[in-house]
Amino acid sequence: MIYVENLRKEFKKTIKDPGVIGSLKALFHPHNEKVIAVDDISFNVPEGEVMGFIGPNGAGKSTVIKMLTGILTPTSGKCTINGKNPAEDRKNYVREIGVVFGQRTQLWWDLPLRETYGVLKEIYEVPDDKYKKRMAFLNEVLDLESFITSPVRTLSLGQRMRADIAASLLHSPKVLFLDEPTIGLDVVVKDNIRNAIEYINKQENTTVILTTHDLADIELLSKRIVMIDKGKNVFDGTISELKSKYGQIRELHFETDTQNADKVLAYKEHFGFVDDDISIKTEGTGVQVRFNSEVVPVSEMLSYTLGKININDISVKDADIEEIIRRLYKREV
Amino acid sequence: MKRKLRIYFPFINAGLQEATTYRANWFFMILGNVLGCFVSYFIWNAVFLSGGNDTMNGFTMPQMVVYIFLMFLTSTLISSGGTYDIGEEIRDGSISMRMIKPISYNSTFLFQELGNKIMTVCILIIPLVLGVEICRTIFTGEIQFNIIGFLLYIISCVFAYLINFFFNICFGFIAFVIKYLWGANMMKNCIVGFLSGTMIPFTFLPDFLEKLFLFLPFASLNYTPVMIYMGMYSGTELLFYMGLQLFWVLVFWGLSKLLWRVATKHLCVQGG
Ligand SMILES: Nc1ncnc2c1ncn2[C@@H]1O[C@H](COP(=O)(O)OP(=O)(O)OP(=O)(O)O)[C@@H](O)[C@H]1O
Ligand SMILES: [Mg+2]
């Protein structure tokens, strides 16, 4: 469905010295520098899959999405979606896709929401009966009723985001691109939006590419993750693959009545952990220890802890995905 | 064609809604233009008084008054904000939102602005035309209004608007290159103001300059419609200048299509 091969995008950036003199100098003698936003990215997405597209700030995710949606022309490399090249046949291509950029709206700022959908209906040539059904459906999953007559500029962020997602789905696109669709939303609206995406994906077999910094989005919606950093692929696989590959982190929880348990235990000194291999959080009598089980095996950690202080309750957990990704972003693995 | 209209009609509506939402903005813009118009009236008045002659370069003072007010009406009718809008959209990256829709970029701008224009036309044209006609009647002692001349003027204004629109779009695409073009836009407005006869009638210029300016696309903007209204052209002359207008419409339309194609290749949408 989506094939991306060695995609690359360079930007020219004008470098300017600070101050008025710098501006003048740049005016007469511009000094350009090449910025490589996307270096070399490849991945495929089969039809009907939800792909989680993640990476730290500035990794190049939005730039890739812009190339896939025909807004930017790649410097080199290829992307084919549904057999079409976005940059070449923009007008025909965009008929089959839906796009949401969380940071910016595609709705007409001064039109009441209902009229915006009327405009989109004409643009995408949706027949009347289909349009009615579709609106009823979107209304149900995204709960638009309460603000559908308000002008877009008066909507709150969460309302606007729901409205934007509805707008991207009105013409039943085959592929849906979502760039941070849950940014800045409360938990209820987030749930709402996740449910809508899941429902559309299941019902219509829509292929979805989703970028987000909220890993719960990914865990709930997608099995597959593509992670990039500095414009290059870092990881491509399922969430369980990610866990088994990088999941040496374990979480130890215990309840103790020993005062200052972390001082008494002194894991760092005892085992020689370096900084990022261990972290300890104390809350009342509960203590949470995250550690790298490759440096010290779980069994050794347990017996040491049990021998050193008085434990009431203890449990060991796999690291959650957030921890793994934090370490990947910090380039520790 | 009908389908096209159905697609772009909502943009007319959107433009109209925009104009009604930002009424005050619109009102002050018009007010500013009216003031400018009076300033140039007083300047010309002084020029004529100090000259001591009844006519200057073929213009009598009453004709000059009519010229000034017609220039004002025409500039307002054919004004187009394409350069600024495109520049802004590129600067803040919202141009990408037009690109993800299966529609022609230029056309959405055109129809949105037409919607905006409806209000200007409805409110301004009747009082201004009436004012101009009353002036003319008082000065000459007889009614000058000519319905055919007026209709030709309207057609000529439509051409002029289209030239102005596509020219501004072309100029706006320069924003793709220099990314921010406020200064360039100011300069353009100034030059166009001069070359289109808004500041001084071409007859006040040396002969060769007058001839040259008449053939430049800018004369087709304000000068041609005003001359038509004032009944200065007739017969083949009229056909020729309106034909020239049509020619420039086509040239700039083609050019804007071409530039759009080139520009999108070099587009780098900012932000996000
Ligand atoms: N128009 C541009 N001109 C110059 N550099 C740019 C431009 N757009 C993006 N960049 C650079 O390209 C890199 C990738 O940006 P991009 O917006 O794709 O990141 P991202 O992965 O979406 O980050 P975030 O998670 O913060 O949204 C950044 O380093 C950014 O500074
Ligand atoms: Mg981004």
Side-chain angles (χ1 to χ4, degrees), chain A residues 11 62 66 71-73 90-91 94 101 104-106 108 110 115 119-120 122 124-125 153, chain B residues 3 6 10 13 17-18 21-22 92-93 96-97 99 101-103 264 267-269 271-272:
Chain A
F11 290 110
S62 299
K66 281 176 195 163
I71 295 168
L72 291 175
T73 314
R90 185 188 65 88
K91 254 210 253 176
V94 294
F101 288 101
R104 137 176 317 155
T105 181
Q106 59 186 305
W108 282 270
D110 294 312
E115 284 184 43
V119 176
L120 292 173
E122 298 299 339
Y124 289 106
E125 300 168 66
R153 72 192 127 79
Chain B
R3 222 209 80 215
R6 269 167 69 105
N13 191 10
Q17 299 249 1
E18 220 170 72
T21 314
Y22 301 108
D92 68 14
S96 51
M97 291 302 134
M99 294 181 71
K101 300 275 151 48
I103 41 178
T264 46
L267 173 66
C268 62
V269 173

mmCIF file of all heavy atoms in Angstrom, chain A residues 11 62 66 71-73 90-91 94 101 104-106 108 110 115 119-120 122 124-125 153, chain B residues 3 6 10 13 17-18 21-22 92-93 96-97 99 101-103 264 267-269 271-272:
data_model
loop_
_atom_site.group_PDB
_atom_site.id
_atom_site.type_symbol
_atom_site.label_atom_id
_atom_site.label_comp_id
_atom_site.label_asym_id
_atom_site.label_seq_id
_atom_site.Cartn_x
_atom_site.Cartn_y
_atom_site.Cartn_z
ATOM 1 N N PHE A 11 16.923 20.917 3.272
ATOM 2 C CA PHE A 11 16.449 22.297 3.223
ATOM 3 C C PHE A 11 17.641 23.216 3.114
ATOM 4 O O PHE A 11 18.707 22.914 3.633
ATOM 5 C CB PHE A 11 15.694 22.673 4.496
ATOM 6 C CG PHE A 11 14.366 22.004 4.643
ATOM 7 C CD1 PHE A 11 14.169 21.032 5.606
ATOM 8 C CD2 PHE A 11 13.312 22.353 3.821
ATOM 9 C CE1 PHE A 11 12.943 20.421 5.758
ATOM 10 C CE2 PHE A 11 12.086 21.748 3.954
ATOM 11 C CZ PHE A 11 11.899 20.780 4.927
ATOM 12 N N SER A 62 7.462 14.885 10.761
ATOM 13 C CA SER A 62 6.540 15.757 10.022
ATOM 14 C C SER A 62 7.018 15.954 8.596
ATOM 15 O O SER A 62 6.211 16.032 7.665
ATOM 16 C CB SER A 62 6.418 17.109 10.712
ATOM 17 O OG SER A 62 5.899 16.952 12.001
ATOM 18 N N LYS A 66 4.907 15.204 5.281
ATOM 19 C CA LYS A 66 4.672 16.218 4.253
ATOM 20 C C LYS A 66 5.059 15.693 2.869
ATOM 21 O O LYS A 66 4.423 16.031 1.879
ATOM 22 C CB LYS A 66 5.466 17.484 4.558
ATOM 23 C CG LYS A 66 4.796 18.349 5.628
ATOM 24 C CD LYS A 66 5.658 19.533 5.982
ATOM 25 C CE LYS A 66 5.215 20.193 7.265
ATOM 26 N NZ LYS A 66 6.264 21.072 7.813
ATOM 27 N N ILE A 71 2.993 17.587 -0.107
ATOM 28 C CA ILE A 71 3.216 18.994 0.195
ATOM 29 C C ILE A 71 4.665 19.373 -0.118
ATOM 30 O O ILE A 71 4.944 20.450 -0.614
ATOM 31 C CB ILE A 71 2.883 19.292 1.671
ATOM 32 C CG1 ILE A 71 1.395 19.068 1.913
ATOM 33 C CG2 ILE A 71 3.275 20.702 2.050
ATOM 34 C CD1 ILE A 71 1.017 19.059 3.366
ATOM 35 N N LEU A 72 5.571 18.458 0.182
ATOM 36 C CA LEU A 72 6.980 18.689 -0.129
ATOM 37 C C LEU A 72 7.436 17.687 -1.188
ATOM 38 O O LEU A 72 6.960 16.556 -1.232
ATOM 39 C CB LEU A 72 7.844 18.501 1.122
ATOM 40 C CG LEU A 72 7.716 19.514 2.247
ATOM 41 C CD1 LEU A 72 8.568 19.072 3.421
ATOM 42 C CD2 LEU A 72 8.152 20.882 1.774
ATOM 43 N N THR A 73 8.357 18.125 -2.030
ATOM 44 C CA THR A 73 8.943 17.222 -3.004
ATOM 45 C C THR A 73 10.258 16.685 -2.431
ATOM 46 O O THR A 73 11.086 17.469 -1.997
ATOM 47 C CB THR A 73 9.238 17.979 -4.311
ATOM 48 O OG1 THR A 73 8.092 18.756 -4.636
ATOM 49 C CG2 THR A 73 9.531 17.037 -5.431
ATOM 50 N N ARG A 90 -0.571 15.527 -7.762
ATOM 51 C CA ARG A 90 -1.126 15.953 -6.491
ATOM 52 C C ARG A 90 -2.654 15.944 -6.452
ATOM 53 O O ARG A 90 -3.262 15.362 -5.568
ATOM 54 C CB ARG A 90 -0.615 17.354 -6.133
ATOM 55 C CG ARG A 90 -1.052 17.842 -4.774
ATOM 56 C CD ARG A 90 -0.686 19.301 -4.562
ATOM 57 N NE ARG A 90 -1.386 20.196 -5.446
ATOM 58 C CZ ARG A 90 -2.573 20.739 -5.188
ATOM 59 N NH1 ARG A 90 -3.171 20.470 -4.068
ATOM 60 N NH2 ARG A 90 -3.147 21.536 -6.056
ATOM 61 N N LYS A 91 -3.277 16.560 -7.451
ATOM 62 C CA LYS A 91 -4.730 16.743 -7.367
ATOM 63 C C LYS A 91 -5.475 15.421 -7.325
ATOM 64 O O LYS A 91 -6.444 15.271 -6.586
ATOM 65 C CB LYS A 91 -5.210 17.595 -8.546
ATOM 66 C CG LYS A 91 -5.560 19.012 -8.111
ATOM 67 C CD LYS A 91 -6.637 19.605 -8.972
ATOM 68 C CE LYS A 91 -6.113 20.657 -9.914
ATOM 69 N NZ LYS A 91 -7.124 21.178 -10.820
ATOM 70 N N VAL A 94 -4.499 13.336 -3.802
ATOM 71 C CA VAL A 94 -5.048 13.738 -2.505
ATOM 72 C C VAL A 94 -6.529 13.389 -2.337
ATOM 73 O O VAL A 94 -7.062 13.445 -1.241
ATOM 74 C CB VAL A 94 -4.834 15.234 -2.189
ATOM 75 C CG1 VAL A 94 -3.369 15.548 -2.012
ATOM 76 C CG2 VAL A 94 -5.439 16.112 -3.253
ATOM 77 N N PHE A 101 -2.989 17.516 10.496
ATOM 78 C CA PHE A 101 -1.820 18.016 11.210
ATOM 79 C C PHE A 101 -2.329 18.606 12.521
ATOM 80 O O PHE A 101 -3.049 19.601 12.507
ATOM 81 C CB PHE A 101 -1.101 19.095 10.403
ATOM 82 C CG PHE A 101 -0.372 18.562 9.221
ATOM 83 C CD1 PHE A 101 -0.905 18.654 7.947
ATOM 84 C CD2 PHE A 101 0.856 17.937 9.380
ATOM 85 C CE1 PHE A 101 -0.243 18.149 6.852
ATOM 86 C CE2 PHE A 101 1.534 17.428 8.283
ATOM 87 C CZ PHE A 101 0.987 17.532 7.014
ATOM 88 N N ARG A 104 -2.277 22.370 13.241
ATOM 89 C CA ARG A 104 -2.827 23.392 12.344
ATOM 90 C C ARG A 104 -4.118 22.842 11.787
ATOM 91 O O ARG A 104 -4.278 21.663 11.642
ATOM 92 C CB ARG A 104 -1.712 23.632 11.346
ATOM 93 C CG ARG A 104 -2.038 23.739 9.976
ATOM 94 C CD ARG A 104 -0.780 24.083 9.186
ATOM 95 N NE ARG A 104 0.084 25.093 9.760
ATOM 96 C CZ ARG A 104 1.379 25.175 9.497
ATOM 97 N NH1 ARG A 104 1.953 24.305 8.731
ATOM 98 N NH2 ARG A 104 2.092 26.134 10.022
ATOM 99 N N THR A 105 -5.058 23.734 11.520
ATOM 100 C CA THR A 105 -6.363 23.239 11.080
ATOM 101 C C THR A 105 -6.538 23.331 9.575
ATOM 102 O O THR A 105 -5.955 24.181 8.931
ATOM 103 C CB THR A 105 -7.504 24.005 11.777
ATOM 104 O OG1 THR A 105 -8.734 23.474 11.329
ATOM 105 C CG2 THR A 105 -7.454 25.493 11.471
ATOM 106 N N GLN A 106 -7.320 22.415 9.023
ATOM 107 C CA GLN A 106 -7.628 22.475 7.600
ATOM 108 C C GLN A 106 -9.028 23.029 7.391
ATOM 109 O O GLN A 106 -9.544 23.042 6.289
ATOM 110 C CB GLN A 106 -7.527 21.085 7.003
ATOM 111 C CG GLN A 106 -8.465 20.096 7.646
ATOM 112 C CD GLN A 106 -8.238 18.694 7.121
ATOM 113 O OE1 GLN A 106 -8.276 18.461 5.936
ATOM 114 N NE2 GLN A 106 -7.967 17.772 8.025
ATOM 115 N N TRP A 108 -12.044 25.976 7.465
ATOM 116 C CA TRP A 108 -12.057 27.410 7.157
ATOM 117 C C TRP A 108 -12.372 28.175 8.424
ATOM 118 O O TRP A 108 -13.415 28.000 9.044
ATOM 119 C CB TRP A 108 -13.051 27.714 6.052
ATOM 120 C CG TRP A 108 -12.453 27.341 4.767
ATOM 121 C CD1 TRP A 108 -11.707 28.135 3.971
ATOM 122 C CD2 TRP A 108 -12.489 26.054 4.151
ATOM 123 N NE1 TRP A 108 -11.267 27.416 2.885
ATOM 124 C CE2 TRP A 108 -11.725 26.143 2.973
ATOM 125 C CE3 TRP A 108 -13.056 24.821 4.475
ATOM 126 C CZ2 TRP A 108 -11.546 25.066 2.122
ATOM 127 C CZ3 TRP A 108 -12.874 23.755 3.625
ATOM 128 C CH2 TRP A 108 -12.133 23.889 2.474
ATOM 129 N N ASP A 110 -13.370 31.058 9.275
ATOM 130 C CA ASP A 110 -14.518 31.925 9.503
ATOM 131 C C ASP A 110 -15.863 31.260 9.221
ATOM 132 O O ASP A 110 -16.902 31.857 9.427
ATOM 133 C CB ASP A 110 -14.396 33.183 8.633
ATOM 134 C CG ASP A 110 -13.210 34.011 9.068
ATOM 135 O OD1 ASP A 110 -13.089 34.244 10.281
ATOM 136 O OD2 ASP A 110 -12.392 34.381 8.226
ATOM 137 N N GLU A 115 -20.873 24.283 7.612
ATOM 138 C CA GLU A 115 -20.633 24.741 6.237
ATOM 139 C C GLU A 115 -19.286 24.267 5.710
ATOM 140 O O GLU A 115 -19.126 24.011 4.530
ATOM 141 C CB GLU A 115 -20.733 26.261 6.159
ATOM 142 C CG GLU A 115 -22.179 26.704 6.197
ATOM 143 C CD GLU A 115 -22.320 28.193 6.014
ATOM 144 O OE1 GLU A 115 -21.631 28.751 5.142
ATOM 145 O OE2 GLU A 115 -23.114 28.796 6.762
ATOM 146 N N VAL A 119 -18.544 22.452 2.195
ATOM 147 C CA VAL A 119 -17.507 22.758 1.214
ATOM 148 C C VAL A 119 -16.753 21.484 0.835
ATOM 149 O O VAL A 119 -16.548 21.176 -0.341
ATOM 150 C CB VAL A 119 -16.508 23.798 1.766
ATOM 151 C CG1 VAL A 119 -15.387 24.032 0.776
ATOM 152 C CG2 VAL A 119 -17.210 25.106 2.091
ATOM 153 N N LEU A 120 -16.380 20.724 1.860
ATOM 154 C CA LEU A 120 -15.612 19.499 1.599
ATOM 155 C C LEU A 120 -16.433 18.500 0.787
ATOM 156 O O LEU A 120 -15.906 17.799 -0.068
ATOM 157 C CB LEU A 120 -15.160 18.866 2.918
ATOM 158 C CG LEU A 120 -14.125 19.686 3.672
ATOM 159 C CD1 LEU A 120 -13.848 19.078 5.035
ATOM 160 C CD2 LEU A 120 -12.826 19.770 2.875
ATOM 161 N N GLU A 122 -18.571 19.144 -1.528
ATOM 162 C CA GLU A 122 -18.490 19.522 -2.941
ATOM 163 C C GLU A 122 -17.117 19.229 -3.516
ATOM 164 O O GLU A 122 -16.987 18.726 -4.623
ATOM 165 C CB GLU A 122 -18.806 21.015 -3.123
ATOM 166 C CG GLU A 122 -20.196 21.436 -2.700
ATOM 167 C CD GLU A 122 -21.291 20.725 -3.484
ATOM 168 O OE1 GLU A 122 -21.020 20.227 -4.586
ATOM 169 O OE2 GLU A 122 -22.430 20.672 -2.969
ATOM 170 N N TYR A 124 -14.906 17.016 -2.660
ATOM 171 C CA TYR A 124 -14.643 15.590 -2.858
ATOM 172 C C TYR A 124 -15.777 14.889 -3.603
ATOM 173 O O TYR A 124 -15.745 13.674 -3.771
ATOM 174 C CB TYR A 124 -14.416 14.903 -1.513
ATOM 175 C CG TYR A 124 -13.105 15.280 -0.856
ATOM 176 C CD1 TYR A 124 -13.066 16.133 0.243
ATOM 177 C CD2 TYR A 124 -11.899 14.768 -1.328
ATOM 178 C CE1 TYR A 124 -11.875 16.477 0.848
ATOM 179 C CE2 TYR A 124 -10.702 15.107 -0.730
ATOM 180 C CZ TYR A 124 -10.700 15.965 0.364
ATOM 181 O OH TYR A 124 -9.515 16.293 0.960
ATOM 182 N N GLU A 125 -16.781 15.656 -4.009
ATOM 183 C CA GLU A 125 -17.910 15.108 -4.759
ATOM 184 C C GLU A 125 -18.566 13.926 -4.053
ATOM 185 O O GLU A 125 -18.740 12.865 -4.628
ATOM 186 C CB GLU A 125 -17.466 14.664 -6.146
ATOM 187 C CG GLU A 125 -16.889 15.796 -6.976
ATOM 188 C CD GLU A 125 -16.207 15.277 -8.222
ATOM 189 O OE1 GLU A 125 -16.913 14.737 -9.065
ATOM 190 O OE2 GLU A 125 -14.986 15.394 -8.326
ATOM 191 N N ARG A 153 -13.244 29.358 14.308
ATOM 192 C CA ARG A 153 -12.298 30.089 15.151
ATOM 193 C C ARG A 153 -12.715 30.150 16.611
ATOM 194 O O ARG A 153 -11.937 30.517 17.474
ATOM 195 C CB ARG A 153 -12.063 31.490 14.580
ATOM 196 C CG ARG A 153 -13.219 32.458 14.729
ATOM 197 C CD ARG A 153 -12.998 33.697 13.895
ATOM 198 N NE ARG A 153 -14.141 33.939 13.032
ATOM 199 C CZ ARG A 153 -15.291 34.493 13.449
ATOM 200 N NH1 ARG A 153 -15.421 34.869 14.701
ATOM 201 N NH2 ARG A 153 -16.280 34.651 12.627
ATOM 202 N N ARG B 3 -20.036 21.627 -12.556
ATOM 203 C CA ARG B 3 -19.411 20.965 -11.412
ATOM 204 C C ARG B 3 -18.377 21.891 -10.786
ATOM 205 O O ARG B 3 -18.283 22.021 -9.583
ATOM 206 C CB ARG B 3 -18.725 19.678 -11.903
ATOM 207 C CG ARG B 3 -18.939 18.512 -10.950
ATOM 208 C CD ARG B 3 -17.784 17.560 -11.025
ATOM 209 N NE ARG B 3 -16.664 18.042 -10.250
ATOM 210 C CZ ARG B 3 -15.411 17.859 -10.608
ATOM 211 N NH1 ARG B 3 -15.108 17.241 -11.722
ATOM 212 N NH2 ARG B 3 -14.442 18.310 -9.830
ATOM 213 N N ARG B 6 -19.923 24.401 -8.709
ATOM 214 C CA ARG B 6 -20.378 23.838 -7.437
ATOM 215 C C ARG B 6 -19.230 23.671 -6.459
ATOM 216 O O ARG B 6 -19.401 23.832 -5.256
ATOM 217 C CB ARG B 6 -21.045 22.483 -7.672
ATOM 218 C CG ARG B 6 -22.535 22.582 -7.902
ATOM 219 C CD ARG B 6 -23.034 21.273 -8.428
ATOM 220 N NE ARG B 6 -22.962 20.234 -7.406
ATOM 221 C CZ ARG B 6 -24.027 19.775 -6.764
ATOM 222 N NH1 ARG B 6 -25.203 20.254 -7.024
ATOM 223 N NH2 ARG B 6 -23.900 18.813 -5.867
ATOM 224 N N PRO B 10 -18.660 27.417 -2.770
ATOM 225 C CA PRO B 10 -18.461 27.570 -1.321
ATOM 226 C C PRO B 10 -17.363 28.567 -0.969
ATOM 227 O O PRO B 10 -17.410 29.198 0.084
ATOM 228 C CB PRO B 10 -18.061 26.178 -0.874
ATOM 229 C CG PRO B 10 -18.608 25.267 -1.892
ATOM 230 C CD PRO B 10 -18.600 26.006 -3.176
ATOM 231 N N ASN B 13 -18.782 31.969 -0.973
ATOM 232 C CA ASN B 13 -19.522 32.094 0.277
ATOM 233 C C ASN B 13 -18.575 32.354 1.455
ATOM 234 O O ASN B 13 -18.800 33.242 2.276
ATOM 235 C CB ASN B 13 -20.299 30.796 0.492
ATOM 236 C CG ASN B 13 -21.300 30.927 1.600
ATOM 237 O OD1 ASN B 13 -21.543 32.021 2.082
ATOM 238 N ND2 ASN B 13 -21.862 29.816 2.014
ATOM 239 N N GLN B 17 -18.496 35.608 3.901
ATOM 240 C CA GLN B 17 -18.596 35.478 5.362
ATOM 241 C C GLN B 17 -17.431 36.198 6.045
ATOM 242 O O GLN B 17 -17.595 36.846 7.073
ATOM 243 C CB GLN B 17 -18.539 34.003 5.767
ATOM 244 C CG GLN B 17 -19.660 33.208 5.198
ATOM 245 C CD GLN B 17 -20.630 32.764 6.265
ATOM 246 O OE1 GLN B 17 -20.460 33.075 7.438
ATOM 247 N NE2 GLN B 17 -21.652 32.047 5.853
ATOM 248 N N GLU B 18 -16.244 36.029 5.417
ATOM 249 C CA GLU B 18 -15.052 36.675 5.934
ATOM 250 C C GLU B 18 -15.249 38.186 5.959
ATOM 251 O O GLU B 18 -14.985 38.851 6.955
ATOM 252 C CB GLU B 18 -13.907 36.344 4.990
ATOM 253 C CG GLU B 18 -12.592 36.040 5.636
ATOM 254 C CD GLU B 18 -11.671 35.515 4.566
ATOM 255 O OE1 GLU B 18 -11.231 36.310 3.716
ATOM 256 O OE2 GLU B 18 -11.430 34.307 4.572
ATOM 257 N N THR B 21 -17.539 39.202 8.637
ATOM 258 C CA THR B 21 -16.974 39.033 9.974
ATOM 259 C C THR B 21 -16.038 40.180 10.330
ATOM 260 O O THR B 21 -16.018 40.648 11.463
ATOM 261 C CB THR B 21 -16.175 37.710 10.073
ATOM 262 O OG1 THR B 21 -16.957 36.679 9.500
ATOM 263 C CG2 THR B 21 -15.851 37.374 11.509
ATOM 264 N N TYR B 22 -15.264 40.608 9.332
ATOM 265 C CA TYR B 22 -14.284 41.649 9.620
ATOM 266 C C TYR B 22 -14.721 42.978 8.995
ATOM 267 O O TYR B 22 -13.956 43.659 8.328
ATOM 268 C CB TYR B 22 -12.908 41.222 9.104
ATOM 269 C CG TYR B 22 -12.467 39.934 9.737
ATOM 270 C CD1 TYR B 22 -12.434 38.758 9.006
ATOM 271 C CD2 TYR B 22 -12.122 39.886 11.083
ATOM 272 C CE1 TYR B 22 -12.066 37.567 9.595
ATOM 273 C CE2 TYR B 22 -11.758 38.701 11.680
ATOM 274 C CZ TYR B 22 -11.726 37.545 10.936
ATOM 275 O OH TYR B 22 -11.360 36.362 11.519
ATOM 276 N N ASP B 92 3.580 31.269 7.178
ATOM 277 C CA ASP B 92 3.131 30.505 8.340
ATOM 278 C C ASP B 92 2.827 29.038 7.993
ATOM 279 O O ASP B 92 2.422 28.272 8.856
ATOM 280 C CB ASP B 92 1.937 31.183 9.022
ATOM 281 C CG ASP B 92 0.675 31.155 8.184
ATOM 282 O OD1 ASP B 92 0.640 30.391 7.210
ATOM 283 O OD2 ASP B 92 -0.277 31.885 8.507
ATOM 284 N N GLY B 93 3.034 28.681 6.730
ATOM 285 C CA GLY B 93 2.912 27.262 6.375
ATOM 286 C C GLY B 93 1.488 26.792 6.118
ATOM 287 O O GLY B 93 1.279 25.633 5.798
ATOM 288 N N SER B 96 -0.007 24.604 3.086
ATOM 289 C CA SER B 96 -0.087 23.144 2.975
ATOM 290 C C SER B 96 -1.526 22.661 3.075
ATOM 291 O O SER B 96 -1.899 21.651 2.512
ATOM 292 C CB SER B 96 0.778 22.476 4.028
ATOM 293 O OG SER B 96 0.479 22.998 5.299
ATOM 294 N N MET B 97 -2.362 23.432 3.799
ATOM 295 C CA MET B 97 -3.751 23.018 3.959
ATOM 296 C C MET B 97 -4.534 23.131 2.652
ATOM 297 O O MET B 97 -5.512 22.443 2.460
ATOM 298 C CB MET B 97 -4.426 23.859 5.040
ATOM 299 C CG MET B 97 -3.886 23.567 6.404
ATOM 300 S SD MET B 97 -4.095 21.827 6.774
ATOM 301 C CE MET B 97 -2.519 21.406 7.427
ATOM 302 N N MET B 99 -2.972 22.564 -0.166
ATOM 303 C CA MET B 99 -2.356 21.564 -1.039
ATOM 304 C C MET B 99 -2.884 20.157 -0.809
ATOM 305 O O MET B 99 -2.751 19.300 -1.667
ATOM 306 C CB MET B 99 -0.840 21.584 -0.866
ATOM 307 C CG MET B 99 -0.237 22.869 -1.350
ATOM 308 S SD MET B 99 1.529 22.890 -1.180
ATOM 309 C CE MET B 99 2.020 21.719 -2.436
ATOM 310 N N LYS B 101 -5.886 19.357 -0.582
ATOM 311 C CA LYS B 101 -7.243 19.246 -1.123
ATOM 312 C C LYS B 101 -7.169 19.122 -2.647
ATOM 313 O O LYS B 101 -6.317 19.768 -3.268
ATOM 314 C CB LYS B 101 -8.061 20.502 -0.766
ATOM 315 C CG LYS B 101 -8.202 20.742 0.709
ATOM 316 C CD LYS B 101 -9.362 19.950 1.266
ATOM 317 C CE LYS B 101 -9.191 19.556 2.704
ATOM 318 N NZ LYS B 101 -8.779 20.631 3.595
ATOM 319 N N PRO B 102 -8.059 18.315 -3.229
ATOM 320 C CA PRO B 102 -7.989 18.111 -4.684
ATOM 321 C C PRO B 102 -8.593 19.280 -5.454
ATOM 322 O O PRO B 102 -9.551 19.110 -6.184
ATOM 323 C CB PRO B 102 -8.807 16.830 -4.894
ATOM 324 C CG PRO B 102 -9.770 16.820 -3.776
ATOM 325 C CD PRO B 102 -9.110 17.501 -2.617
ATOM 326 N N ILE B 103 -8.034 20.467 -5.292
ATOM 327 C CA ILE B 103 -8.574 21.640 -5.964
ATOM 328 C C ILE B 103 -7.433 22.491 -6.477
ATOM 329 O O ILE B 103 -6.295 22.340 -6.042
ATOM 330 C CB ILE B 103 -9.434 22.501 -5.005
ATOM 331 C CG1 ILE B 103 -8.757 22.570 -3.636
ATOM 332 C CG2 ILE B 103 -10.833 21.970 -4.912
ATOM 333 C CD1 ILE B 103 -9.491 23.420 -2.645
ATOM 334 N N THR B 264 6.038 24.904 -6.454
ATOM 335 C CA THR B 264 5.764 23.760 -5.571
ATOM 336 C C THR B 264 6.946 22.816 -5.481
ATOM 337 O O THR B 264 7.149 22.150 -4.478
ATOM 338 C CB THR B 264 4.533 22.960 -6.030
ATOM 339 O OG1 THR B 264 4.615 22.745 -7.412
ATOM 340 C CG2 THR B 264 3.259 23.684 -5.673
ATOM 341 N N LEU B 267 9.054 24.433 -2.948
ATOM 342 C CA LEU B 267 8.373 24.838 -1.732
ATOM 343 C C LEU B 267 9.016 24.186 -0.517
ATOM 344 O O LEU B 267 9.310 23.005 -0.508
ATOM 345 C CB LEU B 267 6.913 24.395 -1.836
ATOM 346 C CG LEU B 267 6.047 24.575 -0.610
ATOM 347 C CD1 LEU B 267 5.882 26.040 -0.312
ATOM 348 C CD2 LEU B 267 4.687 23.946 -0.846
ATOM 349 N N CYS B 268 9.296 24.967 0.520
ATOM 350 C CA CYS B 268 9.584 24.295 1.777
ATOM 351 C C CYS B 268 8.673 24.860 2.849
ATOM 352 O O CYS B 268 8.840 25.973 3.318
ATOM 353 C CB CYS B 268 11.055 24.317 2.147
ATOM 354 S SG CYS B 268 11.776 25.892 2.390
ATOM 355 N N VAL B 269 7.656 24.080 3.134
ATOM 356 C CA VAL B 269 6.662 24.490 4.110
ATOM 357 C C VAL B 269 7.310 24.553 5.481
ATOM 358 O O VAL B 269 7.984 23.632 5.904
ATOM 359 C CB VAL B 269 5.503 23.491 4.127
ATOM 360 C CG1 VAL B 269 4.552 23.813 5.244
ATOM 361 C CG2 VAL B 269 4.801 23.512 2.795
ATOM 362 N N GLY B 271 7.394 25.097 9.672
ATOM 363 C CA GLY B 271 6.603 24.828 10.867
ATOM 364 C C GLY B 271 6.066 23.412 10.904
ATOM 365 O O GLY B 271 6.010 22.719 9.912
ATOM 366 N N GLY B 272 5.627 22.975 12.097
ATOM 367 C CA GLY B 272 5.059 21.626 12.222
ATOM 368 C C GLY B 272 6.048 20.650 12.763
ATOM 369 O O GLY B 272 5.824 19.476 12.688
#
